[in-house]
Amino acid sequence: MHTPVGANSSWQQRSLRSIWHPCTQMQRAAAVPPLPIARGEGPWLIDHEGQRYFDATSSWWVNLFGHADARINAALKDQLDRLPHVMLAGCTHAPAVELAERLSALTDGVLGHCFFASDGASAVEIALKMSFHHWRNRGRSDKREFVCLRQGYHGETLGALAVTDVAVFRDAYDPLLMRAHQVMSPDTRQAGPGETAVDVAARAAAELQALFESRHEHIAALIIEPLVQGAAGMAMHDAAYLRTVRALCDRYQVSLIADEIAVGCGRTGTFFACEQAGIWPDFVCLSKGISGGTLPLSLVMTRDEIYEVFLDDDVARGFLHSHSYTGNALACRAALAVLDRFEQDDVLQRNRQRAAALSLALAPLQHDPRVEHFRQRGMIWAFDVREPFVGERFAERFHLAGRARELLIRPIGRTVYLMPPYVLDDELAVWLAQRVTATLDAVADTENAHADRTSEPSTA
Ligand SMILES: Cc1ncc(COP(=O)(O)O)c(C=O)c1O
C-alpha cells in the first residue's frame, strides 16, 4: 500500500487544529503530538506511514483480544445488518438479554439484574445513585454518604470524581464535588518493616471499621477498585482486604460497590476480581474490556433483593436513570463475542501461561537498581522507577522513548506498567520485556541519575 511520507504529520496537524484531546495538556501537544493511527492488527497499532506500535496498555485498558479481532468483528457485522440500536426503555433485544443472563450466570446468579449504560463513569454514577435510592426506598434516606479509598479512581463525571482521589484530575473541580469520606488505601507498597500485604490490608480495614462505627447510619455505600487501583499507578492489595470489607459492609449495613471497570474481564486472573476473595459485592460496575475495545458499553450488576426494593406502584420509587445509548445492541453483541472467546479459548487458563512467560522475561527488572515495587497480578505488571532516576517529565519522556522502540506505553507518574491484550505469545513476551528495558535504559540511565529532582504528576 502506498504510504506517503508526511502523512503522519498532516493528520497530526489537522488533529491539533480541530480536536481537544482527552486527558491532555494541549500546550504539550506540539512536543508530544498524537500518534496518527491508521489501523490496528492484533496487539499492533499502525500509523499512516506504516510504523507499528505494540499496544502495551490495551488502549486505555479496553482491548482484550487485539485490534480488529476477526470473531468480534464478524459478530458486529452480523448485528449491524439486523439491529444496530433500539432504546432499552419500553423495548428489549436479544444481545442485551443474553448478555445480562450470561454475566449473571458468571456470578452464580448472585447478581441477578443488570442495568446498562455506556462509559465507565456513567456506571459509577448509576451504582452510587442506585445504592442511595435503594436505602431511601427502604426508609433509610439518612444513608446518603459515600466512602472511597485514597488513591482511588472512578471516572471524570462529577459524581465519579467526588469518589476519586487523584489530585491531577480532581483538584480543579473540588469546589463542585459532593463530600465523600476517604479511607486508607490497602496499597501493599505502604508496608512498613516486617509488615506483610495482609498486615497492610488489616490496617486499612481497621480505619474503615472506625469510620463505619461512627457514621454507618449515614453511609450508603463504599466504592472500591478490587485488587488493583489502576489510575493510582497499579497499586495492588491483598484479597484479604476484600473479605474484611465485605464483612464490615454486612455488619454495618453499607452497600459494597466493586468498580471492576478496569480490573474485570479477566484482567487480574479471574473473570471478576472479587472472585479471588470469594466474595460478591452488592453492585459490580463493568466497562472497558467487556466490549473488547470496540464500542462504549458499561453496566451495573446488582442483587435481586436490591432490584426488588425499587418495585412499586409509585413511578418515582423506580430507578429512572437513562442514557440514549443504554444497552446499545452492537456493543452488547460485541460483549457476547467477548464472552464466547472466554468460553471457547479457555482465556483465563491461557492467560496464566502468558503471565508466566512475561513475568519470566521481566524478571531481571525485579533486581534492577533503578526499579522498586515490581508487582504483578494476572495480566497487569507494574514497577516504580526510583526517584533519583526519574527526572523531569518522566512519563512523557518514557512514552516518547517507547514510541521510538515500537511501544505505545504511558507511565503514570514514575510507575511504568504493562496491561497488554490477551494475545501475547512467548516470543512477543521476550520482545516486550526487551523493549521496556531498552526504553528504561534510554530514560533512566544510571549515568543520568537525577539526585534531587521530583517527578511531575502524570496522566494514565
Ligand atoms: C476503575 C475505573 N473506574 C472508572 C473509570 C471510568 O471509565 P470511563 O473512562 O469509561 O468513564 C475508569 C477509567 O479508567 C477506571 O479505571
Side-chain angles (χ1 to χ4, degrees):
M1 201 172 69
H2 179 60
T3 49
V5 176
N8 280 346
S9 93
S10 161
W11 282 113
Q12 287 170 329
Q13 284 159 24
R14 285 173 63 184
S15 185
L16 293 180
R17 273 200 297 271
S18 57
I19 296 182
W20 193 337
H21 286 268
C23 201
T24 301
Q25 171 45 269
M26 294 303 292
Q27 175 123 324
R28 292 296 302 164
V32 193
L35 270 183
I37 300 302
R39 61 194 175 88
E41 202 180 295
W44 303 103
L45 291 163
I46 296 135
D47 71 18
H48 285 268
E49 293 172 12
Q51 174 65 51
R52 67 175 193 172
Y53 304 91
F54 182 86
D55 191 352
T57 55
S58 295
S59 282
W60 259 344
W61 322 344
V62 302
N63 189 291
L64 297 192
F65 301 111
H67 295 276
D69 175 70
R71 280 186 270 171
I72 299 175
N73 280 3
L76 279 174
K77 286 171 189 165
D78 178 67
Q79 188 63 39
L80 192 60
D81 286 335
R82 290 169 194 268
L83 176 72
H85 180 70
V86 63
M87 64 182 182
L88 207 57
C91 299
T92 194
H93 55 77
V97 174
E98 286 173 16
L99 182 57
E101 287 173 351
R102 287 174 69 177
L103 286 172
S104 174
L106 290 175
T107 70
D108 295 328
V110 173
L111 303 175
H113 274 80
C114 188
F115 194 100
F116 287 100
S118 29
D119 288 295
S122 49
V124 169
E125 301 285 342
I126 288 163
L128 296 174
K129 283 175 68 179
M130 231 179 218
S131 165
F132 162 75
H133 198 166
H134 122 274
W135 288 119
R136 187 171 186 269
N137 281 357
R138 289 174 63 177
R140 307 282 305 272
S141 39
D142 278 354
K143 284 171 90 65
R144 55 172 185 235
E145 298 173 7
F146 297 106
V147 185
C148 57
L149 301 190
R150 280 189 207 106
Q151 317 185 84
Y153 179 87
H154 300 285
E156 307 288 340
T157 53
L158 292 179
L161 208 51
V163 289
T164 284
D165 177 40
V166 180
V168 72
F169 301 133
R170 185 192 150 107
D171 282 1
Y173 310 100
D174 192 68
L176 305 180
L177 304 177
M178 69 175 172
R179 301 291 118 196
H181 302 279
Q182 280 184 5
V183 290
M184 179 184 162
S185 157
D187 178 357
T188 302
R189 288 176 298 179
Q190 300 165 108
E195 229 185 356
T196 65
V198 176
D199 296 334
V200 178
R203 218 160 22 97
E207 192 178 309
L208 179 68
Q209 179 165 8
L211 174 67
F212 279 4
E213 187 70 50
S214 63
R215 287 302 295 175
H216 68 96
E217 287 182 352
H218 302 277
I219 295 173
L222 163 71
I223 183 164
I224 54 171
E225 292 160 90
L227 298 183
V228 184
Q229 292 182 288
M234 304 301 150
M236 302 188 183
H237 58 258
D238 197 278
Y241 180 72
L242 304 177
R243 280 189 288 277
T244 312
V245 155
R246 177 67 274 180
L248 290 174
C249 287
D250 286 343
R251 184 177 334 153
Y252 291 97
Q253 293 201 301
V254 171
S255 305
L256 177 56
I257 302 172
D259 176 349
E260 298 227 7
I261 288 164
V263 295
C265 301
R267 192 43 86 175
T268 65
T270 42
F271 189 84
F272 295 103
C274 284
E275 289 174 68
Q276 290 178 53
I279 61 138
W280 290 115
D282 303 302
F283 301 92
V284 167
C285 303
L286 272 191
S287 188
K288 292 194 182 276
I290 188 63
S291 49
T294 56
L295 288 160
L297 178 69
S298 69
L299 52 96
V300 177
M301 301 172 68
T302 193
R303 296 170 186 265
D304 290 343
E305 305 90 271
I306 291 176
Y307 165 78
E308 280 155 16
V309 171
F310 290 82
L311 304 180
D312 201 275
D313 289 337
D314 180 359
V315 174
R317 284 172 67 94
F319 192 65
L320 305 185
H321 187 106
S322 64
H323 298 283
S324 306
Y325 280 96
T326 281
N328 172 256
L330 277 170
C332 289
R333 188 67 192 275
L336 289 173
V338 165
L339 295 187
D340 287 345
R341 293 211 46 157
F342 272 94
E343 279 174 25
Q344 291 162 7
D345 299 355
D346 203 4
V347 169
L348 297 175
Q349 174 57 27
R350 284 282 292 114
N351 277 358
R352 280 192 269 284
Q353 292 155 8
R354 293 185 176 108
L358 186 53
S359 290
L360 185 67
L362 290 170
L365 282 177
Q366 295 194 38
H367 311 291
D368 191 306
R370 297 164 297 182
V371 165
E372 60 183 346
H373 301 303
F374 185 96
R375 51 200 183 275
Q376 178 256 337
R377 169 87 62 168
M379 291 294 283
I380 307 175
W381 290 258
F383 59 85
D384 302 338
V385 175
R386 288 180 193 273
E387 287 289 357
F389 301 99
V390 167
E392 276 165 25
R393 298 191 187 282
F394 171 79
E396 185 181 291
R397 287 187 296 114
F398 197 99
H399 168 71
L400 290 173
R403 282 190 189 185
R405 289 163 184 77
E406 300 185 319
L407 278 185
L408 178 56
I409 190 164
R410 290 166 58 100
I412 300 174
R414 62 189 179 95
T415 298
V416 176
Y417 76 91
L418 297 170
M419 240 160 123
Y422 307 162
V423 294
L424 274 186
D425 57 22
D426 291 0
E427 202 183 323
L428 208 44
V430 170
W431 179 91
L432 179 57
Q434 279 169 352
R435 292 297 165 105
V436 170
T437 309
T439 307
L440 182 66
D441 290 343
V443 175
D445 192 320
T446 20
E447 299 289 308
N448 296 322
H450 307 264
D452 53 7
R453 296 195 209 151
T454 53
S455 67
E456 77 286 5
S458 173
T459 56

